């Protein structure tokens, strides 16, 4: 059973210090409360001053752990579940501890640390690290860091901000940015209590912490921000999901996976409108898009697709005719979903080898799975998509019960398309001089709605997941 220490007679908030040698409690939690109650003089106050922060801690982001030296005194060990003095995380040597720490408090603290806390992250306070859903770290003053902890911070150095020199804090004209800048008098040695640099170091540390927290902590921009870093605005001109090249490249390192697009983002509106306007089947009730996700593909896969697109562009010169490079278009594709990927709160790909949806997101489209869904191909061995969302809807299947259905939107290098209205099940490639087959509906033909078929794996990539 955990033992609860009596509270300090001064602040009535912290536990009293415990004397291990005598087995008794002091009346106060430390020197500050003791002297505040008993009226300690200036000399005594100077003796009890805590030392300057460890130079090794100065290089750290103060929002992530290199705290104001006065902070440990204000912390309640019972609340935080560990002893910051004993663990030494603030860089204070043993001789500066006011009193021995109560031994009987360590066991319940360890048990507290072993029990993860489940909490609801408030809107806009999610860690900016790509894929992380934890809440940002918050200091005792209420300021939020960019990250939930050191692991996410260290894994995303491109999102971090360098430390500043004392000149930067003071606002002088010769201020420079220097990673790892240390306070005055902290190089090689550190002034102890009562030292000549103690007050200067303390003032510098306070100003440094305040300046860096103000400079580093950035608000989560939500729908107005890049879907990767979440703190920089997306490229409005191109209605891109990203703020720039760095985050585009970062998305490739996160593959395979999906990232939800905010419903107020222009990209969401664009895709949802195409999904609705191309729902042409009158006998199938339309269901609007509820959630739309961006599909993350690896840099290698994207490079192969880009190389194929450039090759087709070189052969067809589509840009000169006012078309996208390689005559690239967006098309719908329906497949089997064995899991509930895309349902609210579920962005984790499943491991079921028969899940067509997760398989395509994980490794893209592959001709070796030809006939896997339909058992035949109207225009032979190819990869099939359609501009008609309601046509692709007939190929979407849930193997796990869900109130939602999921459909892929792919980006396809159409190039020069060969139009066909009659079946040709033996075809394995587009006719010479063409890059794809365009199955067009015709009163005398076999199609009621369009189809687009490509015969090269690199001619198509999954781009978005629409959940409706």
């Amino acid at each position: 059973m955990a033992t609860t220490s009596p509270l300090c007679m001064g602040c009535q908030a912290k536990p009293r210090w415990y004397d291990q040698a005598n087995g008794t409690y002091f009346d106060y939690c430390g020197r500050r409360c003791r002297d505040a109650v008993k009226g300690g003089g200036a000399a005594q106050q100077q003796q009890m001053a805590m030392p300057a922060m460890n130079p090794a801690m100065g290089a750290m982001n103060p929002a992530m752990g290199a705290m104001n030296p006065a902070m440990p005194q204000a912390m309640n060990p019972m609340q935080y579940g560990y002893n910051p003095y004993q663990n030494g995380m603030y860089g204070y040597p043993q001789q500066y501890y006011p009193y021995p720490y109560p031994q009987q408090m360590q066991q319940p603290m360890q048990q507290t640390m072993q029990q993860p806390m489940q909490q609801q992250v408030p809107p806009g306070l999610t860690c900016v690290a790509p894929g992380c859903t934890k809440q940002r770290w918050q200091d005792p003053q209420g300021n939020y860091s960019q990250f939930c902890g050191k692991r996410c911070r260290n894994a995303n150095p491109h999102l971090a901000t360098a430390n500043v020199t004392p000149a930067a804090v003071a606002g002088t004209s010769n201020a420079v940015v220097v990673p790892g800048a240390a306070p005055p008098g902290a190089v090689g040695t550190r002034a102890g209590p009562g030292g000549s640099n103690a007050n200067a170091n303390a003032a510098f540390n306070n100003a440094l912490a305040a300046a860096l927290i103000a400079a580093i902590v950035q608000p989560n921009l939500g729908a107005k921000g890049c879907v990767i870093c979440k703190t920089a605005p997306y490229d409005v001109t191109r209605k891109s999901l990203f703020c720039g090249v760095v985050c585009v490249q970062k998305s490739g390192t996160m593959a395979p996976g999906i990232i939800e697009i905010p419903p107020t983002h222009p990209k969401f509106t664009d895709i949802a409108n195409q999904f609705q306007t191309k729902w042409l089947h009158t006998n199938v009730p339309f269901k609007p898009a509820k959630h739309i996700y961006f599909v993350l593909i690896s840099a290698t896969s994207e490079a192969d697709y880009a190389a194929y697109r450039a090759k087709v562009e070189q052969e067809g010169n589509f840009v000169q005719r006012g078309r996208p490079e390689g005559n690239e278009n967006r098309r719908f594709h329906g497949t089997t979903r064995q899991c509930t990927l895309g349902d609210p709160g579920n962005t984790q790909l499943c491991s079921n080898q028969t899940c067509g949806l997760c398989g395509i997101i994980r490794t893209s489209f592959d001709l070796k799975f030809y006939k896997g869904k339909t058992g035949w191909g109207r225009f032979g061995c190819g990869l099939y998509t359609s501009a008609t969302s309601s046509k692709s809807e007939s190929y979407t299947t849930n193997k796990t019960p869900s109130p939602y259905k999921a459909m892929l939107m792919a980006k396809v290098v159409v190039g020069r398309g060969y139009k066909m209205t009659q079946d040709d099940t033996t075809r394995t490639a587009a006719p010479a001089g063409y890059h794809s087959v365009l199955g067009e509906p015709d009163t005398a033909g076999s199609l009621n709605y369009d189809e687009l078929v490509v015969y090269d794996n690199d001619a198509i990539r999954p781009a978005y997941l629409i959940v409706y």
Side-chain angles (χ1 to χ4, degrees), residues 162-180:
N163 288 329
V164 298
T165 63
V169 176
T172 58
S173 59
N174 61 344
V176 292
V177 177
V178 179

Side-chain angles (χ1 to χ4, degrees), residues 386-410:
S386 175
T388 306
S389 56
S390 54
K391 177 180 177 67
S392 295
E393 201 279 339
S394 63
Y395 295 94
T396 61
T397 305
N398 283 339
K399 295 298 183 180
T400 298
S402 171
Y404 301 92
K405 297 190 74 175
M407 181 187 303
L408 287 168
M409 174 181 279

Side-chain angles (χ1 to χ4, degrees), residues 308 315 379 414-420 424 427-439 453-455:
Y308 179 85
E315 296 173 357
F379 300 109
V414 180
R416 188 181 181 194
Y418 182 76
K419 298 180 180 180
M420 298 184 64
D424 185 356
R427 182 169 293 281
T428 58
Y434 293 87
H435 305 99
S436 61
V437 166
L438 305 176
V453 189
V454 291
Y455 301 88

